[in-house]
Amino acid sequence: MTNSLPDFHSHLSQLTKQILNLLLKTPYTPHETSRISTKSTLESLLSTESSLKDFALGCALLSASRSSTHELLTWIPGHLSTAAETAFSDLSKAYNVPGGEKRNLAAELMLEIVPVLKDKINESSIDKSDEADEFSAASARAPLDFAILSAYQFRWFVSKIEYPDLDKMVNLVIPCALTCLDHWSPEVKGQGMISFIYVARNVKAGALDWYGDVILDACCQNIASADEIWQYVVEMSVLLVTCIQRDDPRSLWFEKILTEMLSHLERQPGNRERRIAWLKFIEPIFNSMGLLLLVHFGRIFLLLFQWLHVDDDETVLLVLKQLHTIVCLTWIRKSPYFERLVDELVVLYKEAALRKAREDIRTGILNLLIMLQQCKGLQFETAWNKHRNNPNLTALNRNLLVSRDSNKPKEQSELKVETEPKLEKIEIDD
């Protein structure tokens, strides 16, 4: 800490006044649906009599507003958020004695702050033991707005703690994060999911094992969440299951989570946001399951085949990437989908002529076909016979012929270089 306790408290008082003055100058009109005043809440936290805990909670809320689109926080200007972040950083530096062991102020406040935030979030939760309890009853007990603000504060505090400090605080952080996930509000759930994502990336392997089944069950329960937090659901679930079940590809949790995700995607396969998020984040689960993916081929391929032809280049490129991963992992052995995959890629190759990402798509198709040619051999040649004489596939046929006649198998990195559309070795059909 600074040279003396009075100096530290004087610094705290000075910083509090600076932030409070900026806050008081900020215009604020409560949203018509709000049941509380966010500005009044902040003013009480940053009053001249505020404690270190209250100052930290005020800074957390102001800083967290930068990543929020919720009406409770969108009125907070960027300069006020930045000032709060800077003030807390300054106080953290003052908290440390020059030349002494570095101490994390946020981490040391967590023991006092997290239980308070957890209780606030829990106040408007639904009592699952009471069948008559529902959203309206939960909101009547305590305004939802308090839970939302507390969830943002919690997420901000978690983000201020790094390894190895975070490892030591798992028993404090995980119960509060689970409370967020159990809440009925998507906004509260979303902050809990972001917290879990951060935790999974910043603790050592094994740190979450004690809570493993509880955490993964919460993931499963939340997969069919609102679309606005689906991206967080997927990223969180993938990170956590691969972290907790890292040494057990046969774990039923991989099966459960993948099955729940596929079911949610099948309900609205045309939902762009859902498919993009899933395609971006799912690969670690594929890598962990390996050949066990064969059990899910029917559902996976039917979705991927459908998405290959949507009018959305980002989706198509992501599908090609995941198909490449699946082929690498499984060689799609003993699969009735092999021949159809070849046919679908041919159709897409022709469709790509009218797409903006034409070259990237056709390069992806060629790389995938070469891999299929190398791993399936005669089976590929048999499937390709029907397309061999197609005049619209002349360049594609030529590149496949070069690959087949190559003296030695090429590494995928070499294939990527040789199949770039701009290189002379690769011809692109019109």
Side-chain angles (χ1 to χ4, degrees), residues 10 16 46 49 54 137-138 158 163 172 188 236 245 256 266 280 288 297 299 319 343 371 378 387-388 398 416 419:
S10 174
T16 301
L46 297 169
E49 303 298 326
D54 289 341
V158 171
Y163 176 84
L172 185 66
V188 176
M236 173 190 72
Q245 301 296 328
K256 288 180 179 180
E266 288 166 347
K280 281 183 176 179
S288 294
F297 263 18
R299 301 178 75 184
V319 170
D343 294 341
M371 179 176 292
L378 184 59
H387 306 294
R388 200 176 301 280
R398 187 176 295 115
K416 177 65 178 177
T419 54

Short mmCIF file of all heavy atoms in Angstrom, two decimals, residues 10 16 46 49 54 137-138 158 163 172 188 236 245 256 266 280 288 297 299 319 343 371 378 387-388 398 416 419:
data_model
loop_
_atom_site.label_atom_id
_atom_site.label_comp_id
_atom_site.label_asym_id
_atom_site.label_seq_id
_atom_site.Cartn_x
_atom_site.Cartn_y
_atom_site.Cartn_z
N SER A 10 -6.91 9.19 1.38
CA SER A 10 -6.97 10.53 0.78
C SER A 10 -7.02 10.41 -0.74
O SER A 10 -7.78 11.12 -1.41
CB SER A 10 -5.76 11.35 1.22
OG SER A 10 -5.74 12.60 0.54
N THR A 16 -12.65 9.46 -5.97
CA THR A 16 -14.12 9.35 -5.87
C THR A 16 -14.78 10.66 -6.28
O THR A 16 -15.77 10.67 -7.04
CB THR A 16 -14.53 8.96 -4.45
OG1 THR A 16 -13.94 7.71 -4.09
CG2 THR A 16 -16.04 8.84 -4.34
N LEU A 46 -20.74 6.26 -5.16
CA LEU A 46 -19.62 7.19 -5.28
C LEU A 46 -19.80 8.44 -4.41
O LEU A 46 -19.22 9.49 -4.68
CB LEU A 46 -19.46 7.61 -6.75
CG LEU A 46 -19.10 6.48 -7.72
CD1 LEU A 46 -19.24 6.93 -9.16
CD2 LEU A 46 -17.68 5.97 -7.45
N GLU A 49 -18.88 9.70 1.20
CA GLU A 49 -18.66 8.79 2.32
C GLU A 49 -18.43 7.35 1.86
O GLU A 49 -18.41 6.42 2.67
CB GLU A 49 -19.89 8.82 3.26
CG GLU A 49 -20.26 10.19 3.79
CD GLU A 49 -19.14 10.78 4.63
OE1 GLU A 49 -18.46 10.01 5.33
OE2 GLU A 49 -18.96 12.02 4.60
N ASP A 54 -17.44 0.23 -2.21
CA ASP A 54 -18.43 0.96 -3.01
C ASP A 54 -17.79 1.66 -4.20
O ASP A 54 -18.35 1.69 -5.30
CB ASP A 54 -19.16 1.98 -2.14
CG ASP A 54 -20.11 1.34 -1.15
OD1 ASP A 54 -20.47 0.16 -1.37
OD2 ASP A 54 -20.47 1.99 -0.15
N ALA A 137 -43.45 -13.14 -10.73
CA ALA A 137 -43.32 -13.22 -9.27
C ALA A 137 -41.89 -12.92 -8.85
O ALA A 137 -41.66 -12.24 -7.84
CB ALA A 137 -43.72 -14.63 -8.80
N ALA A 138 -40.94 -13.42 -9.63
CA ALA A 138 -39.54 -13.16 -9.30
C ALA A 138 -39.23 -11.67 -9.40
O ALA A 138 -38.52 -11.11 -8.56
CB ALA A 138 -38.64 -13.95 -10.26
N VAL A 158 -14.35 -10.24 -12.48
CA VAL A 158 -13.71 -11.48 -12.92
C VAL A 158 -12.64 -11.19 -13.97
O VAL A 158 -11.54 -11.75 -13.95
CB VAL A 158 -14.76 -12.47 -13.48
CG1 VAL A 158 -14.07 -13.66 -14.15
CG2 VAL A 158 -15.68 -12.96 -12.37
N TYR A 163 -4.44 -15.51 -14.14
CA TYR A 163 -3.71 -16.65 -13.58
C TYR A 163 -2.41 -16.15 -12.93
O TYR A 163 -1.79 -15.25 -13.47
CB TYR A 163 -3.39 -17.63 -14.71
CG TYR A 163 -2.55 -18.81 -14.29
CD1 TYR A 163 -3.14 -19.94 -13.73
CD2 TYR A 163 -1.16 -18.78 -14.42
CE1 TYR A 163 -2.37 -21.02 -13.32
CE2 TYR A 163 -0.38 -19.84 -14.02
CZ TYR A 163 -0.99 -20.97 -13.46
OH TYR A 163 -0.22 -22.01 -13.06
N LEU A 172 -14.98 -19.22 -5.27
CA LEU A 172 -15.76 -18.00 -5.06
C LEU A 172 -16.48 -17.58 -6.35
O LEU A 172 -17.65 -17.20 -6.32
CB LEU A 172 -14.83 -16.87 -4.60
CG LEU A 172 -15.46 -15.54 -4.23
CD1 LEU A 172 -16.33 -15.70 -2.98
CD2 LEU A 172 -14.37 -14.49 -3.98
N VAL A 188 -28.70 -11.30 -17.85
CA VAL A 188 -27.93 -11.82 -16.72
C VAL A 188 -27.17 -13.08 -17.13
O VAL A 188 -25.99 -13.24 -16.82
CB VAL A 188 -28.86 -12.12 -15.52
CG1 VAL A 188 -28.08 -12.76 -14.37
CG2 VAL A 188 -29.54 -10.83 -15.03
N MET A 236 -18.88 -20.70 -24.73
CA MET A 236 -18.72 -21.16 -23.36
C MET A 236 -18.76 -22.67 -23.26
O MET A 236 -17.88 -23.30 -22.65
CB MET A 236 -19.82 -20.56 -22.48
CG MET A 236 -19.85 -21.10 -21.06
SD MET A 236 -21.33 -20.60 -20.13
CE MET A 236 -22.61 -21.60 -20.93
N GLN A 245 -13.33 -32.06 -19.75
CA GLN A 245 -13.27 -33.45 -20.22
C GLN A 245 -12.11 -33.65 -21.20
O GLN A 245 -12.20 -34.47 -22.11
CB GLN A 245 -14.60 -33.82 -20.90
CG GLN A 245 -15.81 -33.68 -20.01
CD GLN A 245 -15.77 -34.65 -18.83
OE1 GLN A 245 -15.25 -35.74 -18.92
NE2 GLN A 245 -16.34 -34.23 -17.70
N LYS A 256 -23.82 -35.13 -25.01
CA LYS A 256 -24.98 -34.33 -24.60
C LYS A 256 -24.93 -32.93 -25.18
O LYS A 256 -25.94 -32.42 -25.70
CB LYS A 256 -25.04 -34.26 -23.07
CG LYS A 256 -25.44 -35.55 -22.39
CD LYS A 256 -25.47 -35.38 -20.88
CE LYS A 256 -25.88 -36.67 -20.18
NZ LYS A 256 -25.91 -36.51 -18.70
N GLU A 266 -31.34 -27.42 -35.64
CA GLU A 266 -32.34 -28.04 -36.52
C GLU A 266 -33.70 -27.37 -36.41
O GLU A 266 -34.50 -27.43 -37.35
CB GLU A 266 -32.46 -29.53 -36.18
CG GLU A 266 -31.25 -30.34 -36.63
CD GLU A 266 -31.20 -31.72 -36.02
OE1 GLU A 266 -31.95 -31.98 -35.04
OE2 GLU A 266 -30.39 -32.54 -36.48
N LYS A 280 -18.20 -21.19 -36.11
CA LYS A 280 -16.97 -20.53 -35.67
C LYS A 280 -16.32 -21.22 -34.47
O LYS A 280 -15.09 -21.27 -34.36
CB LYS A 280 -17.26 -19.06 -35.30
CG LYS A 280 -17.36 -18.12 -36.48
CD LYS A 280 -17.59 -16.70 -35.99
CE LYS A 280 -17.59 -15.71 -37.16
NZ LYS A 280 -17.84 -14.31 -36.68
N SER A 288 -11.80 -33.02 -30.25
CA SER A 288 -11.79 -33.86 -29.06
C SER A 288 -12.49 -35.20 -29.30
O SER A 288 -12.05 -36.24 -28.81
CB SER A 288 -12.47 -33.14 -27.88
OG SER A 288 -11.73 -32.01 -27.50
N PHE A 297 -22.89 -38.21 -37.77
CA PHE A 297 -22.74 -37.80 -39.17
C PHE A 297 -24.07 -37.44 -39.82
O PHE A 297 -24.15 -36.49 -40.58
CB PHE A 297 -22.05 -38.93 -39.96
CG PHE A 297 -20.57 -38.71 -40.12
CD1 PHE A 297 -19.89 -37.84 -39.30
CD2 PHE A 297 -19.86 -39.40 -41.09
CE1 PHE A 297 -18.52 -37.65 -39.43
CE2 PHE A 297 -18.50 -39.21 -41.24
CZ PHE A 297 -17.82 -38.33 -40.41
N ARG A 299 -26.86 -36.12 -38.70
CA ARG A 299 -27.36 -34.80 -38.36
C ARG A 299 -26.41 -33.70 -38.80
O ARG A 299 -26.83 -32.65 -39.29
CB ARG A 299 -27.61 -34.72 -36.86
CG ARG A 299 -28.59 -35.76 -36.36
CD ARG A 299 -28.77 -35.70 -34.86
NE ARG A 299 -29.59 -34.55 -34.49
CZ ARG A 299 -29.84 -34.21 -33.22
NH1 ARG A 299 -29.32 -34.93 -32.24
NH2 ARG A 299 -30.59 -33.16 -32.95
N VAL A 319 -18.40 -23.55 -43.47
CA VAL A 319 -18.80 -24.94 -43.67
C VAL A 319 -17.65 -25.72 -44.31
O VAL A 319 -17.34 -26.85 -43.90
CB VAL A 319 -20.07 -25.03 -44.55
CG1 VAL A 319 -20.32 -26.48 -44.97
CG2 VAL A 319 -21.27 -24.48 -43.81
N ASP A 343 -20.69 -34.75 -54.65
CA ASP A 343 -21.69 -34.11 -55.52
C ASP A 343 -22.02 -32.70 -55.06
O ASP A 343 -22.16 -31.77 -55.88
CB ASP A 343 -22.96 -34.95 -55.56
CG ASP A 343 -22.75 -36.31 -56.23
OD1 ASP A 343 -21.75 -36.45 -56.96
OD2 ASP A 343 -23.58 -37.21 -56.03
N MET A 371 -8.01 -33.76 -50.60
CA MET A 371 -7.91 -34.58 -49.39
C MET A 371 -8.76 -35.84 -49.51
O MET A 371 -8.33 -36.94 -49.13
CB MET A 371 -8.34 -33.76 -48.17
CG MET A 371 -8.28 -34.56 -46.88
SD MET A 371 -8.69 -33.57 -45.45
CE MET A 371 -7.30 -32.47 -45.41
N LEU A 378 -9.57 -45.20 -54.56
CA LEU A 378 -10.45 -45.75 -55.59
C LEU A 378 -11.90 -45.34 -55.38
O LEU A 378 -12.64 -45.09 -56.35
CB LEU A 378 -10.34 -47.28 -55.60
CG LEU A 378 -11.12 -48.01 -56.70
CD1 LEU A 378 -10.68 -47.54 -58.09
CD2 LEU A 378 -10.96 -49.52 -56.56
N HIS A 387 -18.36 -36.84 -62.94
CA HIS A 387 -18.06 -35.42 -63.16
C HIS A 387 -16.82 -35.21 -64.03
O HIS A 387 -16.53 -34.08 -64.43
CB HIS A 387 -17.80 -34.73 -61.80
CG HIS A 387 -18.91 -34.93 -60.81
ND1 HIS A 387 -20.17 -34.41 -60.97
CD2 HIS A 387 -18.93 -35.62 -59.62
CE1 HIS A 387 -20.93 -34.75 -59.93
NE2 HIS A 387 -20.19 -35.50 -59.10
N ARG A 388 -16.14 -36.29 -64.38
CA ARG A 388 -14.84 -36.18 -65.02
C ARG A 388 -14.89 -35.47 -66.37
O ARG A 388 -13.97 -34.75 -66.74
CB ARG A 388 -14.22 -37.58 -65.18
CG ARG A 388 -12.72 -37.55 -65.37
CD ARG A 388 -12.17 -38.97 -65.40
NE ARG A 388 -12.46 -39.72 -64.19
CZ ARG A 388 -11.78 -39.62 -63.06
NH1 ARG A 388 -10.75 -38.78 -62.99
NH2 ARG A 388 -12.10 -40.34 -62.01
N ARG A 398 -8.25 -31.01 -63.99
CA ARG A 398 -6.80 -30.97 -64.25
C ARG A 398 -6.03 -30.93 -62.93
O ARG A 398 -5.01 -31.60 -62.77
CB ARG A 398 -6.47 -29.76 -65.12
CG ARG A 398 -5.01 -29.73 -65.58
CD ARG A 398 -4.75 -28.56 -66.53
NE ARG A 398 -5.50 -28.72 -67.78
CZ ARG A 398 -6.48 -27.91 -68.17
NH1 ARG A 398 -6.83 -26.89 -67.41
NH2 ARG A 398 -7.11 -28.12 -69.31
N LYS A 416 -2.23 -25.83 -49.68
CA LYS A 416 -2.80 -24.49 -49.58
C LYS A 416 -2.05 -23.54 -50.49
O LYS A 416 -2.65 -22.73 -51.19
CB LYS A 416 -2.72 -24.01 -48.12
CG LYS A 416 -3.22 -22.59 -47.91
CD LYS A 416 -4.69 -22.51 -48.21
CE LYS A 416 -5.22 -21.10 -47.97
NZ LYS A 416 -6.62 -20.99 -48.32
N THR A 419 -2.76 -24.34 -54.27
CA THR A 419 -4.12 -24.22 -54.77
C THR A 419 -4.67 -22.80 -54.65
O THR A 419 -5.86 -22.59 -54.76
CB THR A 419 -5.06 -25.17 -54.01
OG1 THR A 419 -4.93 -24.94 -52.61
CG2 THR A 419 -4.72 -26.62 -54.32
#
